[in-house]
Amino acid sequence: MQCLVLFHLFAIFIWTWPQPSANLNREPVTMADRAQRARDQLLAANNRLRYESPLRYYLQVTGFWQYWDMFAPNPANTDSWLTAEIEYADGEVVKAEYPRIQHMPIPEKYVNERYRKFTERLHPIDQSYKWAQFAYRMAYLHPRADKAVPVRVRLYKHFRIYAVAFKNEPKVQDEQFFELVVDPNTYRTWGSK
Amino acid sequence: MSAKKVSDLKKLQHWMFGYGTPETIAIVRILFGTLIFINLLMLMNVFEAFFTEKGFVPVAFAERWADGVPRLTVLAGVTDSRITLAVFIITMLGCVGTALGLFTRVSSAIMWLGLTSIHHRTPDLLHSGDTLMRAFALYIMVAPSGAVYSLDWLRKFKRTGDATVPEVSLWPHRLMAIQVAIVYFTTVWHKWGGSTWRDGTATWYTSQLHEFDRFPVPAFVDQQPFVAILTYGTLIVEIMLATTVFYKPLRKISLLLGIGLHLGIEYRFNIPLFAFLMIASYASFYEGFEWRAWVNKWKAKRQAKGQGQESHEPAIST
């Protein structure tokens, strides 16, 4: 039992280590560079141990995996929210907002925070496989009174990037990141899923 | 190896794997059983949005996230939302049973398995508080967490008249405390790799994210030198919660600073339950006999107030 407990502690501890910096192979010039390189090599070795050994299965299969990188290495500097444009065959375009925490009263904020969390894991390009589902859901949540089937759904990200501390509030930027051509059958059967 | 080193190692081994009273584990069980229940209740509010096929996250996304590694979940491949809902409800019953200490081992196993399944069903929603819940659910399950302050304990007392609380192996209790220390140690390590934590501006950035806003704060809080005080203060408090918290003379101040830090975050930022989960985990830094002494003191005060009233509660003894 003692060995198992110590193994568990070892496993969860090394799983929580940070990632090496991106410039791992840079030639060191100063002493600080050398220290950084030594640290990065240690972290790279740790990556091999945690991701390429059977240890990975012990942690990932069981749900013992864990990360503690809250507000790290730097806090996010981008405030962002999502909207959709739902276009119909007759040319009408309906704008729909994905639940936005800033616009909610406090009790609602408390129980709806997961919507905000999900936006963090939706927008990066490697998450693009989620976008069609997101677009269908947005269209499903905002039907037209005549029950017409939309032809397209466009997804937008709106964001403010706070690049430098203590500067004035930056302008909002808008970016269309996906356009869905709606399959009428998929749309019509969405509610019965 | 010198005799002193051997002696220190033995002390450490005794601390980690020795025996003691189970009050700490019971208190953690009550707190986490309750908080996990509340958390699941809040998740029910977004059930259709994130746990059904017509929501934003169908079950196929979880399989993609798993990256070929099988995950422990009773919801693998489940597309029928009625089954998912049943798992939610059973897990919540497990939480109630855990908090009350009713059939504690079975209840806590249901809580852990259900929570892990729900997390593996929709990992896109998880934050650090969820990870802490999952870790503590495991420790509560493997610990003798129903040995005291539980309905199981009361049932045993009513059946046998025996209010004895057995000494238990303390390694699950120590795992909880070390787990919390790992949380704080590694978060500081991660943060130290970031330029804004080093230059003392990190908390300014968080204050600008209006999607996190909860209650307002005075303007000076987001100006220097207060931003630097908060930034470096956060790092200092977090490193104390990984180190000095194990040193008894500094334990109380470390925990009070930690509570202050989390209540500050709770007031200002919309990160539901996180502060309460972290503060609940601090219970693991106290020994079982310390909790027992406080409870006995509280009982004595209560009895002094209500003199003449007969008590039906079992008196704890080992």
Side-chain angles (χ1 to χ4, degrees):
Chain A
M1 179 51 77
Q2 294 192 13
C3 289
L4 180 63
V5 170
L6 293 176
F7 167 74
H8 179 78
L9 276 177
F10 168 75
I12 61 170
F13 181 56
I14 68 159
W15 195 262
T16 61
W17 285 22
Q19 296 293 331
S21 56
N23 54 357
L24 185 61
N25 296 319
R26 201 183 64 184
E27 236 359 82
V29 179
T30 64
M31 278 306 286
D33 287 345
R34 282 177 211 283
Q36 178 69 32
R37 186 167 157 139
R39 174 186 179 274
D40 283 343
Q41 282 173 341
L42 178 69
L43 295 178
N46 184 58
N47 270 359
R48 286 193 293 276
L49 177 63
R50 64 179 161 177
Y51 298 138
E52 294 169 21
S53 74
L55 196 66
R56 175 186 183 192
Y57 292 92
Y58 172 71
L59 290 157
Q60 290 188 313
V61 172
T62 53
F64 300 162
W65 51 272
Q66 46 187 273
Y67 304 96
W68 304 110
D69 50 0
M70 305 82 85
F71 302 113
N74 289 304
N77 68 348
T78 307
D79 211 12
S80 65
W81 60 97
L82 304 170
T83 60
E85 276 184 5
I86 304 159
E87 185 185 326
Y88 291 86
D90 61 9
E92 190 193 4
V93 175
V94 175
K95 295 196 173 181
E97 187 174 81
Y98 175 77
R100 191 173 169 194
I101 303 300
Q102 196 187 350
H103 292 167
M104 296 178 188
I106 285 170
E108 271 189 44
K109 281 184 183 207
Y110 213 81
V111 294
N112 286 308
E113 206 279 333
R114 304 285 177 170
Y115 283 103
R116 189 209 60 77
K117 192 74 195 176
F118 183 62
T119 61
E120 285 180 14
R121 277 97 189 240
L122 177 79
H123 187 257
I125 188 72
D126 62 340
Q127 304 295 305
S128 59
Y129 66 93
K130 297 173 181 169
W131 295 348
Q133 175 87 11
F134 188 90
Y136 272 116
R137 171 83 183 166
M138 289 298 285
Y140 167 74
L141 289 175
H142 300 88
R144 215 164 70 168
D146 63 0
K147 294 187 178 168
V149 176
V151 290
R152 283 191 174 76
V153 181
R154 286 181 286 276
L155 301 180
Y156 291 89
K157 180 183 180 181
H158 311 275
F159 54 100
R160 280 190 207 97
I161 300 177
Y162 295 86
V164 184
F166 306 110
K167 296 283 178 196
N168 291 337
E169 188 161 279
K171 280 186 179 169
V172 175
Q173 300 177 58
D174 308 301
E175 175 198 326
Q176 181 190 324
F177 64 95
F178 183 64
E179 181 174 273
L180 171 78
V181 177
V182 175
D183 170 26
N185 283 336
T186 305
Y187 178 79
R188 283 197 197 98
T189 57
W190 198 261
S192 61
K193 276 188 169 191
Chain B
M1 201 181 282
S2 69
K4 186 177 180 313
K5 276 185 183 167
V6 172
S7 163
D8 287 347
L9 270 178
K10 279 194 170 170
K11 270 188 202 165
L12 188 63
Q13 191 187 21
H14 179 72
W15 177 81
M16 185 78 200
F17 296 105
Y19 283 75
T21 55
E23 278 82 353
T24 302
I25 296 167
I27 283 166
V28 169
R29 183 200 85 233
I30 294 166
L31 293 173
F32 271 79
T34 307
L35 288 169
I36 294 171
F37 177 81
I38 294 169
N39 170 62
L40 291 175
L41 208 57
M42 285 162 58
L43 274 183
M44 290 289 277
N45 185 57
V46 294
F47 180 82
E48 188 191 285
F50 294 113
F51 293 94
T52 66
E53 295 304 292
K54 62 182 168 190
F56 294 110
V57 189
V59 75
F61 286 6
E63 283 155 21
R64 188 156 177 156
W65 166 83
D67 198 19
V69 179
R71 307 287 175 147
L72 182 72
T73 172
V74 296
L75 290 170
V78 172
T79 54
D80 187 334
S81 58
R82 290 169 300 183
I83 298 174
T84 312
L85 184 63
V87 170
F88 261 79
I89 292 168
I90 292 167
T91 308
M92 289 166 80
L93 289 174
C95 294
V96 173
T98 302
L100 295 175
L102 180 63
F103 308 119
T104 312
R105 186 78 72 185
V106 175
S107 297
S108 56
I110 290 170
M111 179 174 80
W112 172 70
L113 181 61
L115 191 68
T116 304
S117 299
I118 290 164
H119 285 183
H120 283 164
R121 162 63 180 80
T122 310
D124 286 327
L125 302 185
L126 303 181
H127 56 66
S128 298
D130 293 298
T131 311
L132 191 75
M133 278 185 245
R134 203 173 58 247
F136 267 66
L138 169 75
Y139 303 145
I140 289 166
M141 178 182 71
V142 297
S145 50
V148 69
Y149 304 150
S150 67
L151 290 179
D152 287 344
W153 173 60
L154 276 177
R155 280 165 59 221
K156 184 183 154 208
F157 169 69
K158 284 199 172 161
R159 204 173 55 240
T160 64
D162 179 14
T164 307
V165 176
E167 290 224 324
V168 297
S169 182
L170 290 177
W171 61 263
H173 173 180
R174 304 310 183 204
L175 269 179
M176 292 171 183
I178 295 171
Q179 172 71 73
V180 180
I182 287 175
V183 172
Y184 285 111
F185 176 78
T186 53
T187 195
V188 172
W189 192 2
H190 279 269
K191 283 170 181 159
W192 199 242
S195 56
T196 58
W197 288 99
R198 286 177 183 231
D199 70 17
T201 60
T203 60
W204 181 84
Y205 288 93
T206 53
S207 70
Q208 304 307 306
L209 304 181
H210 299 303
E211 295 301 311
F212 276 104
D213 280 349
R214 186 174 284 160
F215 296 112
V217 294
F220 73 87
V221 173
D222 295 332
Q223 293 162 4
Q224 292 291 33
F226 213 80
V227 166
I229 292 168
L230 285 178
T231 302
Y232 295 127
T234 300
L235 293 175
I236 290 167
V237 172
E238 286 182 336
I239 205 68
M240 286 176 77
L241 287 162
T243 54
T244 55
V245 74
F246 289 105
Y247 178 57
K248 203 169 174 183
L250 293 177
R251 180 180 61 180
K252 193 172 176 183
I253 186 68
S254 304
L255 294 178
L256 284 174
L257 287 169
I259 290 169
L261 170 71
H262 284 293
L263 288 182
I265 293 171
E266 178 68 22
Y267 172 83
R268 175 122 203 225
F269 299 113
N270 189 51
I271 310 174
L273 290 186
F274 182 62
F276 301 113
L277 286 161
M278 292 311 303
I279 292 169
S281 73
Y282 294 174
S284 60
F285 289 112
Y286 284 90
E287 300 296 331
F289 64 82
E290 292 174 290
W291 287 110
R292 178 180 296 183
W294 288 327
V295 170
N296 287 343
K297 204 170 157 186
W298 172 73
K299 274 185 179 171
K301 267 189 190 170
R302 210 176 58 157
Q303 277 175 352
K305 269 188 186 173
Q307 276 176 345
Q309 284 182 354
E310 197 181 339
S311 171
H312 295 285
E313 292 168 27
I316 298 174
S317 61
T318 46

